[in-house]
């Protein structure tokens, strides 16, 4: 006898898609959810009271039976997520924003199968980021041990039990957005069981609310909000930190390990160890944290190596990609290209 697959919910928040010139992206998102081979999906589109014809666009898909529509005013994307969660019936909830889409028609099956096999509370996987044109940008592989200073995986790859979300109070709406990062921190220090999926789950289109490269005010707000999330967590063990320290950490930690005082790292490790978590890889976390506080003449970051003068001044950056090595003086002046 075939077992019945649990119902899952996909939540997609939207607002004024037509005015934003994003109808094409939304249709791609809708197709990617509808074409999933997983047999038991409810797709909820949450519209924050659009007034540009977006409701008519969504109702086109409601009429096909592809989704249901919730229209409710919100104060940001985190509240929109919560508006979807309130009416969701699925055992697991996934979030697919309107500019983004699933990597393959098996993405949700892969996630649910892993959740069920491991009896996990949440799952996460890899993501391919693309430009607005569709050109591939960078590849995002989960790195859970960096959760204390950066989002460790893409929100679009997250699948989470609805009862766990409800227990945690759903998304924190105090900042308007960035609640996904707060949720991940709560999942980890709350000792919920997460499983990493070594496959690409989603495409993320750059230029959304948290990656608007041409909107400087939006960039500043995003950095400030994510810095606040880091500050809120760090206050658990490091009272000396302020918002300027936290935003500097968010901006610089990926490439500059010297941003972390050794005292901070020691207190961080002590705080996490004292939590005595059962579902956390302490070995990877501690080694990663210690490495960030250890002086180096170069810093390895994926395919990028930075060489420092006197352990402080960026002298040369090497980028390795597709069998090519490019060297940049002071990090931005191209000086050499080698094909290997």
């Amino acid at each position: 006898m075939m077992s019945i697959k649990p119902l899952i919910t996909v939540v997609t928040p939207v607002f004024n898609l037509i005015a934003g010139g994003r109808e094409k992206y939304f249709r791609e998102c809708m197709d990617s959810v509808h074409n999933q081979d997983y047999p038991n999906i409810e797709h909820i589109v949450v519209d924050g009271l659009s007034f540009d014809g977006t409701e008519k666009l969504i109702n086109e898909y409601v009429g096909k039976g592809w989704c249901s529509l919730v229209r409710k005013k919100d104060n940001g994307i985190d509240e929109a997520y919560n508006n979807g969660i309130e009416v969701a019936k699925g055992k697991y909830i996934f979030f697919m924003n309107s500019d983004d889409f699933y990597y393959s028609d098996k993405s949700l099956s892969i996630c649910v199968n892993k959740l069920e096999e491991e009896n996990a509370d949440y799952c996460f996987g890899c993501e391919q980021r693309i430009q607005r044109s569709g050109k591939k940008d960078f590849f995002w592989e989960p790195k859970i041990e960096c959760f204390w200073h950066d989002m460790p995986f893409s929100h679009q790859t997250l699948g989470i039990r609805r009862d766990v979300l409800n227990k945690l109070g759903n998304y924190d709406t105090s900042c308007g957005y960035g609640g996904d990062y707060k949720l991940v921190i709560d999942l980890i220090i709350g000792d919920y069981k997460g499983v990493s999926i070594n496959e690409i789950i989603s495409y993320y289109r750059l230029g959304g609310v948290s990656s608007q490269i041409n909107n400087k005010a939006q960039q500043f707000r995003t950095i400030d909000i994510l810095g606040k999330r880091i500050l809120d967590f760090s206050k658990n063990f490091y009272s000396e930190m302020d918002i300027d320290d936290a935003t500097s950490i968010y901006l610089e930690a990926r490439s500059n390990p010297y941003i972390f005082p050794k005292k901070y790292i020691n207190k961080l490790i002590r705080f996490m160890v004292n939590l005595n978590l059962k579902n956390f890889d302490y070995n990877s976390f501690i080694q990663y944290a210690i490495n960030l506080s250890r002086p180096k003449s170069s810093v390895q970051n994926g395919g990028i190596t930075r060489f420092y003068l006197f352990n402080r001044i960026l002298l040369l950056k090497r980028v390795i990609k597709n069998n090519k090595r490019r060297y940049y003086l002071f990090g931005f002046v191209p000086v050499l290209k080698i094909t290997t």
Side-chain angles (χ1 to χ4, degrees):
M1 180 181 294
M2 292 182 61
S3 60
I4 299 175
K5 297 286 187 179
L7 176 69
I8 66 172
T9 301
V10 177
V11 174
T12 298
V14 302
F15 182 69
N16 283 351
L17 296 170
I18 305 298
R22 293 159 51 214
E23 177 181 348
K24 175 184 175 182
Y25 303 147
F26 175 72
R27 291 187 182 279
E28 192 169 14
C29 170
M30 296 300 294
D31 286 341
S32 82
V33 176
H34 179 71
N35 291 334
Q36 291 296 300
D37 67 0
Y38 189 80
N40 203 7
I41 301 173
E42 70 165 358
H43 189 184
I44 300 172
V45 179
V46 184
D47 179 22
L49 299 185
S50 296
F51 47 83
D52 66 340
T54 291
E55 182 181 6
K56 181 179 178 181
L57 172 62
I58 300 168
N59 278 328
E60 175 186 328
Y61 291 96
V62 173
K64 295 178 180 181
W66 286 23
C67 68
S68 60
L69 170 61
V70 173
R71 274 179 57 82
K72 189 174 181 181
K73 181 176 174 55
D74 61 66
N75 293 312
I77 196 168
D78 290 333
E79 191 170 343
Y81 290 142
N82 286 345
N83 290 339
I85 295 167
E86 285 178 4
V87 299
K89 298 180 177 65
K91 178 179 179 180
Y92 303 105
I93 300 183
F94 295 80
F95 303 90
M96 181 52 64
N97 291 346
S98 58
D99 286 0
D100 311 319
F101 54 102
Y102 286 110
Y103 183 77
S104 79
D105 59 7
K106 300 182 184 301
S107 292
L108 288 174
S109 290
I110 291 168
C111 290
V112 178
N113 289 341
K114 190 72 170 180
L115 284 163
E116 292 284 286
E117 289 169 5
E118 300 288 339
N119 192 27
D121 297 309
Y122 66 102
C123 70
F124 51 89
C126 304
E127 180 175 82
Q128 178 63 59
R129 296 206 152 190
I130 58 175
Q131 299 173 11
R132 304 305 275 182
S133 64
K135 182 181 177 181
K136 288 185 179 180
D137 201 87
F138 66 91
F139 177 74
W140 190 352
E141 188 173 5
K143 193 178 185 65
I144 202 72
E145 55 266 32
C146 80
F147 81 95
W148 46 280
H149 69 80
D150 201 0
M151 185 73 175
F153 55 80
S154 168
H155 185 228
Q156 260 63 240
T157 72
L158 171 69
I160 181 171
R161 290 179 61 106
R162 179 163 57 92
D163 58 350
V164 169
L165 259 177
N166 294 159
K167 187 175 180 180
L168 291 172
N170 300 333
Y171 282 77
D172 173 65
T173 62
S174 62
C175 295
Y177 54 93
D180 52 344
Y181 186 24
K182 171 69 160 54
L183 175 64
V184 170
I185 291 173
D186 289 344
L187 286 169
I188 291 172
I189 67 176
D191 208 13
Y192 291 95
K193 184 178 180 180
V195 288
S196 180
I197 298 171
N198 190 30
E199 298 202 38
I200 303 175
I201 302 301
S202 59
Y203 283 106
Y204 173 91
R205 203 181 307 270
L206 296 168
V209 68
S210 62
S211 61
Q212 294 183 17
I213 58 176
N214 296 319
N215 187 331
K216 300 303 180 185
Q218 184 64 57
Q219 281 185 315
F220 183 86
R221 282 192 291 268
T222 298
I223 292 167
D224 207 47
I225 285 170
L226 294 175
K228 183 180 183 302
R229 302 298 189 186
I230 293 171
L231 177 63
D232 289 344
F233 171 70
S234 298
K235 285 293 187 181
N236 287 308
F237 56 89
Y238 196 74
S239 60
E240 299 94 320
M241 181 173 288
D242 61 23
I243 187 61
D244 290 328
D245 295 329
T247 53
S248 292
I249 283 173
Y250 175 73
L251 287 171
E252 300 182 39
R254 299 174 199 180
S255 60
N256 180 9
Y258 312 107
I259 199 69
F260 298 104
K262 190 168 184 179
K263 183 179 180 182
Y264 177 94
I265 297 294
N266 290 341
K267 287 189 173 185
L268 164 70
I269 294 173
R270 187 177 299 113
F271 170 75
M272 291 300 297
V273 168
N274 287 340
L275 290 177
N276 195 28
L277 305 175
K278 307 302 182 205
N279 295 303
F280 187 69
D281 185 349
Y282 278 107
N283 289 337
S284 295
F285 159 71
I286 292 173
Q287 188 59 58
Y288 174 79
I290 290 174
N291 284 345
L292 287 184
S293 67
R294 184 177 299 156
K296 301 175 183 179
S297 59
S298 66
V299 182
Q300 184 70 32
N301 181 15
I304 300 175
T305 305
R306 293 172 173 84
F307 300 92
Y308 292 86
L309 181 64
F310 305 125
N311 284 344
R312 288 286 179 177
I313 303 171
L314 179 59
L315 180 64
L316 196 68
K317 180 174 75 173
R318 181 183 66 196
V319 179
I320 303 174
K321 186 177 181 180
N322 299 328
N323 295 322
K324 294 180 180 179
R325 298 170 183 256
R326 291 182 171 86
Y327 291 82
Y328 300 85
L329 187 63
F330 308 124
F332 66 91
V333 180
V335 291
L336 184 64
K337 180 173 72 173
I338 301 174
T339 301
T340 57

